[in-house]
Amino acid sequence: MKKLTLLSFTALLFATNYAQAQNFPETYASQPCVSCAPPLYTIVSGSPSISTDAGVGGDPQTPWYDPLGTPMPKTPTKLAAKVGNDHDNNGNTFVTLGIVDFKKDKIKTIFTGFTLGVQYTFRYHVLASRTLASNYAASATLQVTTEGDFPALIASKTTTFSAGVNTNKWIAESVTFTATAQTYVFSLSGTSVGNQLGYANFDIADRPFDCIVPPAQVQLYRAVYETPFPCAKMNLYDAIKSTTPLGCTPVWDFTSTANSVMSVASASAKLPGAAHYFAFYEHWDCYNTNSSTAEMTYKYVETQVSLKAHVGTVDCVKKSTYDLTAQLNQSPYKVRWFDNDKHEGLPLENPSQAPIGNYYAFYYDSVNGCYSTDKATSDAFFSVVGATMCCNDPNDPLNQIVLLDNSVQIVSPAQTFDLATVVPSEYVFDNGVVLEWFTNPNHSGVPVSDPAHVPAGTYYAFAHDTVNGCYNTNSSTASVVVTGEGVQLAIKVSLQGACEITPEGLMNHELQNASLLPSSDPYGTGVVYPSINTESAVSTVDWIKIEIRSSGSPEVIYQSKSLLLRPDGMVVDINGLTPIFNVQSEPVRIVVKHRNHLPVMSNPIDILGGGLMSYDFTTALSQAFNDGTGPTQMKLVNGVWCMIAGDISGGINGTPDYAVDGADGTPFRQTFKQGVFDVYEKADYNLDGSVEGVDGTIFNNSFNAGYYSIIINY
């Protein structure tokens, strides 16, 4: 029986949740086994087993033996089992410790949640058993100790066995101790008769502790409480008069017998009317009574906020905010403002300085943390309207300027960089609005005087309304880091899937033609190309990812970029130019990744200085590094060496395995059966926007060939 547990962190806050009963690690399991311990137990020494009445470790080849022919009795936890209870011993298993001088099985478990000063009684069963080839155990011991390298003994119980007297029968035992710590170690062990092997068995249930809750009703100060708030959350602790017993927790249910278990939120959804709460004391799923007479009732009345007006204007030049608090009619209740009629999300932080927007007012009970209604009406609605261009919300991310690149390098022989090259051509500003660059995100100081010739540094873009004196944002996230000389890498690579239908040796760009390419790169690097599907965009097959790795230690990644792959195989930046990478002081390897093709890795190249360097994967199979242990790394299609299609488990939101295997076949077949088309989908190997038979052929060929990428080794 579970109840609502009330957690009161301050005198003004009240919250509820379900008290989870603590389950002690039981000594049984769903299946028998040898050299194993029950779940949550640790083997200290030896090789214990999970046994059944059939034999040691459940093995009928090692059956139990009793000289009198008495069969092994059922465990007490089996006899108490209920079908459907996850913690019942329906399989009649138990832990067996084999004990002899040279092999003493011992296990332990750690259990926490004890209340200091509370006396606990722990109950369990032990049984001495033997096989035809062994003797009975001499004794079985349960010890309770503290944690640490030097544990203190808290309680111990040793059961001594005498053959034919108390063997082959489950013996009920218990230990009692007063908790001085929150966590204890429970150890199970035994001794043998001389140097003869014997078996000691333990049967411990998931509820081995006696209930510590006194059987007395909770006493309340009062039985009725009224509130105008529909969420109906109040500090029910205020109604409790009696002292909570040590180690116990006050909990609440919606019926006196706790037959219904629900949260306060779901109870509020069943109002209006009145809710009835019944108080209990609880400890580890044990309660003071099965029928509570400690009943609390409260009522509420739905209330809308009363406003003086419903519209206000600002010019955003002399006045950019509006005082919503001045629109409130007199009321004894605190008011919170939201930008929606269901008080979702966070309330307006400063309603006396509200920016442009639509707002809804709610009465709020700060003691109990609830609102006067779940939905505000037009009576509680107020709109702050802007009158000039400067009224665009400076904190709205949509007002930020989106740049083509956030990290660029000055390429020799140039000594400066033109910031205009990272601004999309589709940006058109109104009259009086100019683009300005600053060296700080707050447009303080003076703007950059010559944006076409800037040295290395970090620059922030702003749209400046020179007529009204305002900026598009108070804090720009549109930044570009200009670094010193880099190296331009002209990389050429082809995708097998995109080459399958173009005998000219060019790859198709059907995804772009169908406006299916995402404007954000699919590899999670944060690159955005808003106009990727427009006529003015770079002709693109798909997004591609380039990694610059150490030649000697290819698992080390120096730099990575999400870039675009043109139909002719050239890899370019979103500005259509050859990408720039950092100069490295040692030889490197280029790794090319795609969302549904196997990665390829180049042979070592030097990028020690600036300028332009080229690497063409398409000219020969040897251009893709292979240490001789892996399969062919590329496939010849229409006279062009291409990356091999088929690997989708390493694509978007997947875990890379760099192989065409069953992990790819399952999602492909699932997608194929759905008959999808006009989609950007990993299973679309030929990149035409549909998942169809030709994609299946590509996958099957790659799967049957056993292809995998050499970078699986790194």
Side-chain angles (χ1 to χ4, degrees):
M1 178 175 65
K2 295 182 180 179
K3 303 287 190 300
L4 293 172
T5 301
L6 300 183
L7 305 176
S8 180
F9 297 104
T10 70
L12 299 179
L13 293 178
F14 166 74
T16 64
N17 64 358
Y18 290 113
Q20 298 298 320
Q22 294 211 19
N23 297 316
F24 190 87
E26 58 261 21
T27 53
Y28 40 85
S30 59
Q31 297 292 331
C33 56
V34 296
S35 296
C36 61
L40 301 181
Y41 280 82
T42 302
I43 297 177
V44 179
S45 61
S47 55
S49 301
I50 303 296
S51 300
T52 67
D53 52 9
V56 180
D59 186 0
Q61 301 299 318
T62 315
W64 299 116
Y65 170 75
D66 183 78
L68 300 178
T70 304
M72 170 75 75
K74 300 293 184 182
T75 62
T77 53
K78 167 62 177 178
L79 297 175
K82 299 180 181 64
V83 176
N85 188 332
D86 292 340
H87 291 280
D88 278 340
N89 189 7
N90 294 299
N92 191 38
T93 60
F94 49 88
V95 66
T96 297
L97 305 181
I99 306 153
V100 71
D101 283 348
F102 59 85
K103 176 186 157 318
K104 294 183 178 181
D105 294 349
K106 182 177 182 180
I107 62 175
K108 69 177 182 179
T109 187
I110 301 175
F111 189 67
T112 191
F114 294 98
T115 301
L116 275 61
V118 173
Q119 186 180 78
Y120 293 89
T121 296
F122 180 89
R123 300 187 183 278
Y124 63 101
H125 289 80
V126 294
L127 179 147
S129 60
R130 61 169 293 183
T131 65
L132 187 60
S134 76
N135 201 346
Y136 295 105
S139 67
T141 299
L142 183 143
Q143 286 187 334
V144 183
T145 62
T146 58
E147 292 184 292
D149 296 332
F150 304 98
L153 180 64
I154 303 301
S156 179
K157 184 63 176 285
T158 297
T159 305
T160 302
F161 301 113
S162 178
V165 178
N166 64 344
T167 55
N168 202 37
K169 63 176 64 176
W170 288 105
I171 302 171
E173 296 287 15
S174 66
V175 292
T176 300
F177 58 92
T178 299
T180 58
Q182 292 182 331
T183 302
Y184 287 116
V185 179
F186 290 72
S187 301
L188 312 181
S189 61
T191 62
S192 62
V193 178
N195 63 352
Q196 301 179 62
L197 173 65
Y199 294 98
N201 307 281
F202 286 81
D203 185 34
I204 302 176
D206 66 310
R207 297 286 195 278
F209 293 96
D210 285 357
C211 184
I212 66 170
V213 185
Q217 292 284 340
V218 178
Q219 301 298 312
L220 305 178
Y221 282 111
R222 49 196 171 96
V224 178
Y225 188 91
E226 293 184 352
T227 175
F229 298 96
C231 51
K233 294 181 181 178
M234 57 174 291
N235 192 342
L236 297 183
Y237 283 127
D238 290 343
I240 298 178
K241 181 179 181 180
S242 53
T243 301
T244 301
L246 184 63
C248 300
T249 303
V251 294
W252 297 81
D253 200 355
F254 289 99
T255 68
S256 61
T257 56
N259 290 322
S260 61
V261 180
M262 61 185 74
S263 68
V264 169
S266 63
S268 297
K270 296 182 180 179
L271 299 175
H276 299 261
Y277 293 88
F278 295 85
F280 298 81
Y281 288 127
E282 180 270 346
H283 179 267
W284 290 354
D285 213 22
C286 175
Y287 300 87
N288 60 313
T289 179
N290 289 326
S291 180
S292 174
T293 60
E295 180 181 1
M296 160 64 71
T297 304
Y298 63 92
K299 303 177 181 179
Y300 75 93
V301 177
E302 184 174 3
T303 307
Q304 294 286 336
V305 175
S306 176
L307 302 179
K308 298 177 181 178
H310 300 286
V311 178
T313 60
V314 294
D315 59 18
C316 300
V317 178
K318 297 179 181 179
K319 180 180 180 182
S320 59
T321 62
Y322 201 90
D323 186 2
L324 298 178
T325 62
Q327 301 304 312
L328 298 172
N329 287 316
Q330 187 174 1
S331 169
Y333 304 117
K334 180 179 179 179
V335 174
R336 282 187 172 183
W337 294 84
F338 288 82
D339 60 1
N340 62 86
D341 62 358
K342 296 181 180 179
H343 57 73
E344 295 175 340
L346 296 175
L348 189 63
E349 183 175 357
N350 188 359
S352 64
Q353 297 181 10
I356 291 173
N358 295 324
Y359 302 96
Y360 296 85
F362 295 84
Y363 288 129
Y364 177 68
D365 185 336
S366 59
V367 175
N368 299 312
C370 60
Y371 295 91
S372 58
T373 180
D374 286 334
K375 184 176 177 62
T377 66
S378 58
D379 292 337
F381 170 78
F382 194 89
S383 180
V384 180
V385 180
T388 70
M389 173 186 167
C390 289
C391 289
N392 293 334
D393 183 0
N395 299 314
D396 188 343
L398 295 178
N399 288 329
Q400 294 282 345
I401 295 174
V402 179
L403 302 178
L404 295 175
D405 204 340
N406 300 109
S407 179
V408 297
Q409 289 181 308
I410 300 171
V411 180
S412 178
Q415 301 297 313
T416 60
F417 186 80
D418 184 1
L419 293 176
T421 61
V422 298
V423 181
S425 59
E426 59 263 29
Y427 267 115
V428 178
F429 298 104
D430 294 335
N431 291 333
V433 179
V434 297
L435 179 67
E436 292 182 346
W437 294 86
F438 288 81
T439 56
N440 63 82
N442 304 315
H443 60 72
S444 59
V446 296
V448 174
S449 59
D450 187 5
H453 300 88
V454 297
T458 301
Y459 301 90
Y460 298 84
F462 291 87
H464 183 197
D465 186 336
T466 58
V467 176
N468 296 304
C470 59
Y471 290 86
N472 64 310
T473 179
N474 291 330
S475 180
S476 176
T477 59
S479 63
V480 57
V481 178
V482 179
T483 57
E485 180 179 307
V487 58
Q488 291 179 291
L489 282 182
I491 304 168
K492 188 174 183 180
V493 68
S494 289
L495 303 176
Q496 173 197 349
C499 284
E500 290 284 354
I501 59 175
T502 54
E504 301 86 359
L506 296 177
M507 290 176 284
N508 78 75
H509 54 119
E510 295 299 319
L511 293 176
Q512 187 182 47
N513 290 340
S515 298
L516 297 176
L517 291 176
S519 58
S520 297
D521 81 276
Y523 306 108
T525 63
V527 179
V528 178
Y529 188 19
S531 59
I532 191 170
N533 292 309
T534 64
E535 292 183 0
S536 62
V538 177
S539 183
T540 302
V541 176
D542 201 355
W543 290 91
I544 205 86
K545 187 176 183 181
I546 301 297
E547 294 177 348
I548 304 300
R549 297 193 178 204
S550 167
S551 174
S553 301
E555 69 276 6
V556 178
I557 301 174
Y558 292 139
Q559 189 178 7
S560 63
K561 284 189 176 185
S562 291
L563 301 165
L564 304 178
L565 180 62
R566 294 192 324 211
D568 61 0
M570 296 306 299
V571 177
V572 297
D573 217 325
I574 58 176
N575 57 13
L577 302 177
T578 301
I580 299 174
F581 291 88
N582 296 336
V583 171
Q584 301 297 334
S585 60
E586 63 176 3
V588 299
R589 297 178 186 267
I590 302 170
V591 172
V592 183
K593 292 182 177 180
H594 183 260
R595 60 193 179 90
N596 61 15
H597 284 63
L598 289 174
V600 292
M601 181 163 64
S602 75
N603 297 307
I605 65 170
D606 289 319
I607 54 173
L608 304 177
L612 175 66
M613 297 193 68
S614 301
Y615 197 93
D616 191 346
F617 284 91
T618 69
T619 58
L621 178 61
S622 60
Q623 287 294 89
F625 171 72
N626 191 339
D627 60 6
T629 64
T632 298
Q633 293 295 289
M634 293 193 295
K635 185 173 183 178
L636 189 64
V637 180
N638 294 326
V640 177
W641 287 100
C642 301
M643 293 171 61
I644 298 171
D647 182 20
I648 59 176
S649 64
I652 303 172
N653 297 325
T655 301
D657 63 1
Y658 305 132
V660 182
D661 51 21
D664 307 297
T666 298
F668 173 78
R669 286 188 293 272
Q670 292 173 346
T671 306
F672 177 77
K673 291 178 180 180
Q674 296 172 5
V676 297
F677 57 90
D678 290 337
V679 293
Y680 186 73
E681 168 60 49
K682 290 184 292 183
D684 175 23
Y685 292 118
N686 68 348
L687 308 183
D688 65 353
S690 301
V691 180
E692 51 199 349
V694 65
D695 300 302
T697 300
I698 294 174
F699 170 76
N700 288 334
N701 291 338
S702 297
F703 177 81
N704 293 332
Y707 289 131
Y708 64 85
S709 172
I710 198 67
I711 72 168
I712 199 172
N713 298 324
Y714 307 105

